[in-house]
Amino acid sequence: MQLRLKEHWKLVCLGVALIVATAMIIVSTLSGSPRSDRPASNSNGPTAEQYVVDIDLSHPPQQAWELDAQSLTDNSGDVLLSMPHSLDSYYGYGSVYEVGNILVAASAYPLPKTSESSSSQGVGDVSLIGVDPESGTPLWERRIGGALSQCSQQNESTIIACWGNRRVIFVDTSTGTLLSDLGTDFDVTGATITGDTVYTSGETVEGTLRTRILASGNTTDLTANFRRAIEPSQEFGSLHAFPSTDTAIAMERGNGDPQYRYTIYDLHSGAERFRFEGDSLAPVGDGLFLTSVGGRSGYVGTQNLLDSDGSTIRAIPIPSSGASRFPSKPSTSLPMFLGDGAYDPSSGDELWRNSQLNNSQMAGTTSAIVAIVGRATLVTSPETRTISALDTESGRQLWQTPWQDAYWVRNGVTDGEHFVFSDYTGIHSIRSRDGKMMWSIPLPAEVDPREVVISSAGDNMTFSWRNHFTVWR
């Protein structure tokens, strides 16, 4: 395929944009929370519904309000931070995210830049702010101080955890109430809340030895259920709980080939289930695992699907990097999408394969899925410059629509019938049952398409870039 210079540059920027867009202003709609009786949410098997709005997307929505950081707080000079991440630094942009039925923002006063950090600034004490998604007005403000790096992104209830160094706090976002402010004897790297249980992970360092820690407790006692230490190691690594699969996964750096060593434990008993050496391992489906070996510089290498005990179910014939965070409101049960195939999430059985599920990019083979709406799994092709719908149950093609900027279709929302997305030229709505383009809104002249994020807030659509966050309905 011959590309003009400008088009070639767009493709080169694609890999960068996928990273940049995640760091831009984003509202994460966490519709449906992981439970022990359902598959874990992951890049290869989305929750049943996500990024769903309650407005009719057959017609262009109208802007309802734009977030003004200065109207959210009485602290003059405060800026919005990148919520729920990077609460200890300011990179020139901010974000909010959705918890329950409100938006949560974080603000702080940026400190002068130092020679040690050219891309970010340190910040003073941080405040969390609850925002009404219908009007954009602040509902509450809670000062949480400093030394906190991030907050939990997936939340089953209105309670969130925020942590940093040896401190964890819990805030009820429905009211802004600080439930507890707890210290730990280990460096905290993550906290997950499921039901009434809090799983906290981290490590202690003594000399050159690192000991990974996993604790289970509640919002007032982090170790009320247990506190486990994984065997010390001199290698960098991590330990995280996955309550939806009843597992804890420890990772440490390998000798280079493969890159990492994994140990999978039963979350509740602490018993070791199996070990794996490779370049990645992630829970998928209903208690299964996807692994890769030989992945370098964006290429996924060889992928295998493992059972809960680590035994190999099957090799993935044509591996790819999985799609993630795409809109989903299906009218049928969802398979796992791995490489160019659809698989049963419980058994790992192959259901169907279609080469249109994958795109070959300069950075390697990636998933072509951009949304699942009704019975249609929507995929794009940069090569043929088309948007196509595959039947989710059979894999057969339902329709195909020519689209010049198909290589740039990314993020978006759905109302269950339409898919609204952004590309290099604007915001567009396509009907899932027949591929008809319903409407388009050009991007403002000052907007960099690489920074645009279309997402959801409450029942409404958001259009965000850099320091601008707008809600449409």
Side-chain angles (χ1 to χ4, degrees):
M1 177 178 60
Q2 298 296 319
L3 297 178
R4 294 170 306 191
L5 179 60
K6 181 179 179 181
E7 293 168 338
H8 177 75
W9 173 243
K10 291 180 184 178
L11 286 174
V12 170
C13 293
L14 179 59
V16 175
L18 293 177
I19 300 174
V20 172
T22 302
M24 293 302 117
I25 301 175
I26 295 175
V27 173
S28 295
T29 302
L30 303 172
S31 53
S33 303
R35 303 191 310 260
S36 59
D37 60 349
R38 66 185 255 177
S41 175
N42 56 74
S43 62
N44 303 292
T47 51
E49 293 189 5
Q50 54 187 7
Y51 306 104
V52 176
V53 297
D54 196 32
I55 57 177
D56 183 1
L57 296 178
S58 63
H59 304 285
Q62 302 297 313
Q63 181 175 324
W65 55 270
E66 179 170 359
L67 185 66
D68 178 5
Q70 299 308 310
S71 69
L72 295 183
T73 176
D74 296 330
N75 302 316
S76 178
D78 270 17
V79 295
L80 285 183
L81 304 178
S82 183
M83 186 70 173
H85 308 290
S86 305
L87 299 187
D88 52 0
S89 301
Y90 178 60
Y91 290 87
Y93 51 81
S95 67
V96 298
Y97 81 142
E98 188 174 38
V99 183
N101 59 356
I102 70 169
L103 306 178
V104 180
S107 72
Y109 189 85
L111 304 176
K113 284 189 176 183
T114 66
S115 58
E116 299 174 351
S117 177
S118 59
S119 61
S120 65
Q121 298 170 251
V123 297
D125 285 349
V126 176
S127 293
L128 297 183
I129 305 165
V131 182
D132 183 348
E134 294 299 315
S135 64
T137 57
L139 301 173
W140 51 261
E141 182 174 359
R142 167 62 57 185
R143 182 66 65 91
I144 61 174
L148 294 170
S149 57
Q150 69 179 87
C151 298
S152 50
Q153 186 169 347
Q154 292 191 344
N155 305 287
E156 292 185 0
S157 66
T158 60
I159 299 175
I160 63 172
C162 302
W163 63 87
N165 295 330
R166 299 195 168 194
R167 179 186 176 211
V168 183
I169 69 167
F170 296 93
V171 176
D172 186 339
T173 59
S174 63
T175 60
T177 302
L178 179 65
L179 300 179
S180 60
D181 189 338
L182 308 176
T184 68
D185 63 352
F186 57 92
D187 298 323
V188 180
T189 56
T192 301
I193 307 172
T194 176
D196 296 327
T197 304
V198 177
Y199 295 97
T200 311
S201 56
E203 70 173 6
T204 60
V205 180
E206 185 175 350
T208 60
L209 289 181
R210 299 171 177 269
T211 301
R212 258 68 75 177
I213 304 294
L214 179 65
S216 172
N218 51 54
T219 57
T220 57
D221 184 352
L222 296 177
T223 61
N225 300 326
F226 63 74
R227 182 186 190 276
R228 299 196 189 111
I230 303 300
E231 57 190 64
S233 170
Q234 292 184 325
E235 300 296 341
F236 169 81
S238 65
L239 174 64
H240 292 287
F242 294 87
S244 58
T245 60
D246 295 328
T247 58
I249 300 179
M251 179 273 288
E252 70 175 23
R253 185 169 50 197
N255 58 9
D257 191 16
Q259 296 185 77
Y260 303 108
R261 295 190 291 265
Y262 298 90
T263 307
I264 292 77
Y265 300 91
D266 182 273
L267 180 61
H268 300 290
S269 70
E272 181 180 314
R273 289 191 180 179
F274 66 92
R275 297 193 177 203
F276 172 79
E277 293 189 0
D279 300 301
S280 70
L281 181 145
V284 294
D286 188 7
L288 309 181
F289 297 88
L290 182 67
T291 69
S292 70
V293 177
R296 296 291 188 277
S297 301
Y299 291 86
V300 295
T302 300
Q303 287 182 330
N304 289 317
L305 186 62
L306 306 183
D307 208 339
S308 58
D309 61 0
S311 59
T312 300
I313 295 175
R314 65 176 62 252
I316 305 303
I318 302 181
S320 72
S321 299
S324 62
R325 301 177 61 84
F326 54 75
S328 177
K329 189 173 183 180
S331 59
T332 183
S333 59
L334 286 178
M336 291 186 297
F337 292 102
L338 307 174
D340 68 345
Y343 299 85
D344 184 281
S346 297
S347 66
D349 291 344
E350 182 180 295
L351 303 176
W352 53 266
R353 291 175 61 190
N354 190 315
S355 61
Q356 294 181 84
L357 285 177
N358 282 348
N359 279 329
S360 296
Q361 304 284 0
M362 288 179 289
T365 303
T366 62
S367 173
I369 299 174
V370 292
I372 299 177
V373 185
R375 292 182 60 89
T377 295
L378 305 186
V379 297
T380 61
S381 171
E383 185 172 353
T384 63
R385 300 202 172 195
T386 57
I387 302 174
S388 303
L390 307 180
D391 184 274
T392 302
E393 290 191 326
S394 67
R396 67 181 180 88
Q397 181 176 297
L398 301 175
W399 50 258
Q400 188 172 84
T401 297
W403 197 249
Q404 186 70 11
D405 273 4
Y407 56 88
W408 200 259
V409 173
R410 42 193 277 274
N411 58 69
V413 295
T414 182
D415 60 359
E417 184 177 1
H418 306 86
F419 167 49
V420 170
F421 61 91
S422 68
D423 65 8
Y424 223 80
T425 64
I427 305 170
H428 316 277
S429 174
I430 188 171
R431 193 162 60 191
S432 65
R433 70 171 183 264
D434 56 10
K436 179 181 178 181
M437 284 293 176
M438 306 300 292
W439 51 264
S440 295
I441 301 175
L443 295 179
E446 71 276 11
V447 174
D448 186 336
R450 297 170 299 177
E451 300 174 351
V452 170
V453 175
I454 305 298
S455 190
S456 55
D459 296 325
N460 304 315
M461 185 184 87
T462 65
F463 167 37
S464 308
W465 71 98
R466 294 298 290 181
N467 287 322
H468 296 268
F469 176 86
T470 61
V471 171
W472 298 57
R473 58 173 177 262

